[in-house]
Amino acid sequence: GRALAKKFSQAMAFAFDAVDELPDQTQEALFTSLLAMMGKLQQAERFPEIRACATCKHFAPNVHPDAQAPHHCRFVDVPLPQSLLRLDCPEHEPASPAVTRRHWRQVGQV
């Protein structure tokens, strides 16, 4: 198992390196696309539950007029740019299914 885990982590390091070489704008578009895909898959119950901003009761999407940081985290009371949305937050508290669906639509244009 350890050998397999090491191989997997090395494969992921290659992917992370490849993304790091992309221009910032392309990285942001890729992240937004991945968020949209994860939201679709979660709503279809084909993706495991995650502790993402879009599934958290503290998250308020698109509440700030600033296009650079349109979202808000009520837990830490700060505006959030799309690029800083978390996929695994230790302070995550699940939102209701209806709120989660709305958040995924607003964040990932699902």
Side-chain angles (χ1 to χ4, degrees):
R2 290 182 187 189
L4 183 59
K6 184 177 178 181
K7 269 186 168 178
F8 183 72
S9 68
Q10 289 171 340
M12 294 308 297
F14 172 77
F16 293 135
D17 291 343
V19 171
D20 282 342
E21 292 179 17
L22 297 172
D24 289 345
Q25 188 175 11
T26 304
Q27 288 183 33
E28 288 180 29
L30 177 60
F31 184 64
T32 299
S33 297
L34 288 172
L35 281 175
M37 183 177 70
M38 289 168 56
K40 284 277 195 195
L41 291 171
Q42 251 196 350
Q43 290 179 41
E45 298 180 3
R46 302 224 181 240
F47 196 84
E49 291 295 318
I50 56 175
R51 299 182 309 172
C53 290
T55 66
C56 184
K57 74 177 192 176
H58 300 297
F59 182 63
N62 301 315
V63 295
H64 295 289
D66 181 4
Q68 297 302 310
H71 312 302
H72 194 86
C73 176
R74 293 185 198 109
F75 185 81
V76 293
D77 194 26
V78 296
L80 294 172
Q82 185 90 350
S83 63
L84 291 184
L85 296 183
R86 290 182 168 187
L87 300 177
D88 186 28
C89 179
E91 289 81 31
H92 181 272
E93 292 187 46
S96 71
V99 169
T100 296
R101 281 190 300 277
R102 188 175 70 241
H103 286 176
W104 277 125
R105 280 193 306 273
Q106 292 174 313
V107 169
Q109 293 79 42
V110 176

